[in-house]
Amino acid sequence: MIGLGTLINVALIVVGGVVGLLGGRLFTPSLQDTLMKATGVSVVFVGLAGALAGMLSLQDGVLVSGGSMMIVASFALGSLVGELIDLDGRFERLGEWLKRKTGSEGDNQFVNGFVTASLTVCIGAMAIVGSIQDGIAGDWSTLALKGALDCLIVCVMTASLGRGCIFSALPVGVFQGVITLLARLVQPLMTDAALANLSLVGSILIFCVGVNLIWGKMFKPANMLPAVVVAVALAFI
């Protein structure tokens, strides 16, 4: 069944969120703050590991780095576009709308939880590759694996940031669902070089999300999202 991978992914996010919400109610505010920072550290190192894996390679027994110019160009152009269309503001307005519709006006962390969790589970090569596999061959295994990882991530985030994290299932469903439907059109664009660029830039964005969890909103990762599109485009230049 085409689209089953996204359905599994969305269901696992909801399950993880519900478990985290129930567990989080047992924690004191101090424990929730500690858990949030622990989550931030984990996310930082996940992003850092992905970025270093994409930049570093062995050539003749020597460790060398690459991709610096691509990173600079992607984030400069992508952030400019993101600021002009204010993706961060749009994400927050969507979060505020969900907050009202779900009767969560008293939850001060709802919007932050929604935006943070959405960016963490939406960004990455697994979402795109898995959706293409699902759309063309009906192979949902990659998205099922991603769903298991997302389940754990959203569970921990919900325990510290609240129910807003559960609604990250919505952008995941839309994003991966659209790619699944357009899989045959998207597949030729996802060359090895394009996927490598996407993974590298996506990992840096995840690193930024982790930094925000630890030190507050130092970055606007949503406004940097167009950098992923620029990175894929640069693979063809």
Side-chain angles (χ1 to χ4, degrees):
M1 173 184 168
I2 291 177
L4 181 60
T6 294
L7 293 177
I8 293 173
N9 197 164
V10 168
L12 287 172
I13 288 174
V14 173
V15 169
V18 171
V19 171
L21 185 62
L22 295 175
R25 290 174 177 172
L26 304 176
F27 299 154
T28 64
S30 176
L31 282 174
Q32 290 179 347
D33 182 65
T34 300
L35 186 59
M36 182 173 66
K37 287 182 170 58
T39 305
V41 170
S42 302
V43 173
V44 162
F45 275 92
V46 168
L48 189 60
L52 291 177
M55 293 185 70
L56 301 178
S57 62
L58 279 175
Q59 294 183 10
D60 299 324
V62 179
L63 190 65
V64 297
S65 65
S68 300
M69 292 304 297
M70 185 278 294
I71 293 172
V72 172
S74 296
F75 277 97
L77 294 174
S79 298
L80 177 61
V81 173
E83 284 289 337
L84 289 174
I85 61 180
D86 192 20
L87 283 176
D88 188 74
R90 293 174 188 271
F91 257 105
E92 290 191 353
R93 285 192 289 274
L94 175 58
E96 291 288 354
W97 180 80
L98 288 171
K99 182 178 178 180
R100 292 193 301 271
K101 292 298 181 181
T102 57
S104 304
E105 284 86 353
D107 187 352
N108 295 328
Q109 286 277 48
F110 186 97
V111 176
N112 183 37
F114 167 71
V115 174
T116 301
S118 295
L119 291 172
T120 303
V121 297
C122 275
I123 300 170
M126 284 184 77
I128 294 177
V129 174
S131 298
I132 292 174
Q133 291 173 338
D134 193 7
I136 292 178
D139 180 3
W140 45 265
S141 58
T142 299
L143 290 184
L145 175 59
K146 176 181 177 291
L149 297 173
D150 291 347
C151 179
L152 179 60
I153 292 169
V154 172
C155 177
V156 177
M157 282 189 169
T158 305
S160 58
L161 295 175
R163 72 177 69 181
C165 299
I166 301 174
F167 292 90
S168 62
L170 295 177
V172 167
V174 172
F175 178 64
Q176 293 179 184
V178 169
I179 294 177
T180 298
L181 292 174
L182 301 177
R184 295 190 184 278
L185 295 177
V186 176
Q187 185 188 26
L189 301 177
M190 292 296 105
T191 62
D192 289 342
L195 284 173
N197 285 3
L198 185 152
S199 181
L200 175 52
V201 171
S203 294
I204 296 174
L205 286 172
I206 290 173
F207 172 85
C208 294
V209 172
V211 169
N212 283 354
L213 282 171
I214 301 171
W215 289 289
K217 196 168 184 178
M218 298 182 68
F219 299 104
K220 293 182 178 180
N223 280 357
M224 299 177 182
L225 276 176
V228 174
V229 179
V230 176
V232 172
L234 289 176
F236 296 92
I237 297 178

